[in-house]
Amino acid sequence: QVQLVESGGGLVQPGGSLKLSCAASGRNVANIYDMSWYRQAPGKQRELGELVAESTGDGNLLYSDSVRGRFIISRDNDKNTVSLQMSSLKPEDTAVYYCRTRLYGNLGPIYWGQGTRVTVSS
């Protein structure tokens, strides 16, 4: 079992920056394989949202085309955290951002955080 808690969302003006953080806890944190950030419109199913960025189990960093060059994902395995530094924010980045992790490997169980809302508006 793993629990994920996100923080750092809020209201920001277009062109601004925001940093999201996700902390993992629980008896299986040592088995975390990948950690990623998804986003979804409020009220919609998070599992159908957009994969924004991922720190893969084999050490790669992946980004969606919509955020590449503007967002940076970083992971601290010692602290069991993953963060998402978002820059040059656009109104279309407005969404609920979810932290997600998978245990053991590519077919392992998946856990989600509760989400943190990001609103980009002037």
Side-chain angles (χ1 to χ4, degrees), residues 101-122:
T101 188
R102 191 192 302 266
L103 305 186
Y104 307 118
N106 289 327
L107 300 180
I110 292 170
Y111 296 89
W112 293 86
Q114 81 288 353
T116 184
R117 189 160 185 164
V118 172
T119 303
V120 184
S121 175
S122 55

Side-chain angles (χ1 to χ4, degrees), residues 7-24:
S7 60
L11 173 65
V12 62
Q13 292 187 342
S17 298
L18 206 60
K19 185 175 182 178
L20 307 182
S21 298
C22 173

Side-chain angles (χ1 to χ4, degrees), residues 3-49:
Q3 293 80 42
L4 301 173
V5 178
E6 302 102 332
S7 60
L11 173 65
V12 62
Q13 292 187 342
S17 298
L18 206 60
K19 185 175 182 178
L20 307 182
S21 298
C22 173
S25 62
R27 59 187 176 92
N28 278 329
V29 290
N31 297 312
I32 287 176
Y33 181 68
D34 60 41
M35 299 190 81
S36 54
W37 289 94
Y38 281 71
R39 65 185 180 188
Q40 179 60 287
K44 295 192 174 182
Q45 191 175 351
R46 63 189 178 191
E47 289 82 359
L48 302 180

Side-chain angles (χ1 to χ4, degrees), residues 18-20 37 52-53 71-73 82-86 97:
L18 206 60
K19 185 175 182 178
L20 307 182
W37 289 94
V52 175
F71 291 10
I72 298 174
I73 186 172
V82 63
S83 63
L84 186 68
Q85 178 66 53
M86 306 184 294
Y97 284 71

Side-chain angles (χ1 to χ4, degrees), residues 41-64:
K44 295 192 174 182
Q45 191 175 351
R46 63 189 178 191
E47 289 82 359
L48 302 180
E50 177 189 9
L51 172 60
V52 175
E54 180 177 358
S55 173
T56 68
D58 54 3
N60 292 315
L61 302 179
L62 306 177
Y63 297 93
S64 70

